[in-house]
Amino acid sequence: MLGAVRGLLGSATGLAHARLALLGTELRAELVRSVLLLAGAGAAIGLSLLALAVAVAGVLLAVDAEHRFAAALMMALLLALCALLLAWRLYRALDARPAVFADSLVQLQDDRQALLQRSEAARSALGESAGELMRLVSIGLVAYSIARRFTSKR
C-alpha cells in the first residue's frame, strides 16, 4: 500500500514538474509576443499620427481661406470615425483571442483524470487486498473454532 502511495505521489510530482515547465514556456512566449505587439503598435501609431498630421495640413492649406474651418471640422469628424472603427476592431480581436495558458489547462485536466484513474485502480486493489485479508481471517477464526472444539472434547 505504501508503495502505491509513493508511486502515485511520484507520478503527481513528475506531472506537476512537466506542467510547470510547459507553463513557463508558454509564459515566456506570451511575454515575447506581447512585447513585439506593443512595439509594433507603438511604431504604427507614431507613423500614422505623423502621416495624418501631414495629410490634414495639406488639405487645410489646399482649401480656400473661407472654407478652412469647415474643412477642419470635416477632417476631425473623419478622424474620430476612423478612431471609433479601429477601437471596435481591436475590441473584437482581443475578444476572439484564445485564453492565456489554454494548452497548460488542458494538460492539467488530462493529468488530473489520469491521476484519478490511477488512484481508483490503487484503491480498488487495496479493497481487493482487504477483502482477501478478511477471508483469511475468517478462515483462521473458523479453523480456530474447530480446533477449540476438538481440543475441548478430549
Side-chain angles (χ1 to χ4, degrees):
M1 179 174 132
L2 192 58
V5 171
R6 281 187 187 152
L8 191 60
L9 286 175
S11 295
T13 304
L15 288 174
H17 181 268
R19 296 313 170 222
L20 283 175
L22 175 63
L23 187 69
T25 301
E26 284 185 7
L27 183 61
R28 277 191 299 276
E30 189 68 24
L31 182 64
V32 167
R33 191 182 74 76
S34 296
V35 166
L36 288 176
L37 182 67
L38 286 175
I45 288 171
L47 291 173
S48 297
L49 286 175
L50 185 62
L52 279 174
V54 170
V56 167
V59 168
L60 291 178
L61 289 175
V63 173
D64 290 338
E66 58 197 45
H67 298 295
R68 254 185 213 142
F69 183 70
L73 284 177
M74 291 299 284
M75 294 299 280
L77 189 62
L78 179 66
L79 290 174
L81 189 65
C82 288
L84 285 174
L85 178 66
L86 179 62
W88 177 71
R89 293 209 43 187
L90 284 173
Y91 174 77
R92 289 200 42 187
L94 286 174
D95 195 38
R97 200 176 67 155
V100 178
F101 309 124
D103 294 338
S104 291
L105 292 173
V106 168
Q107 287 298 321
L108 285 172
Q109 181 65 25
D110 291 346
D111 293 345
R112 180 178 179 272
Q113 291 298 325
L115 284 174
L116 286 175
Q117 288 174 354
R118 213 168 152 189
S119 172
E120 185 61 38
R123 208 176 298 136
S124 175
L126 183 62
E128 290 173 10
S129 298
E132 193 65 32
L133 181 62
M134 289 302 292
R135 277 189 227 111
L136 288 173
V137 167
S138 298
I139 291 171
L141 286 175
V142 168
Y144 176 75
S145 298
I146 293 172
R148 287 275 291 171
R149 285 192 184 172
F150 279 128
T151 56
S152 65
K153 287 184 181 181
R154 289 185 184 181

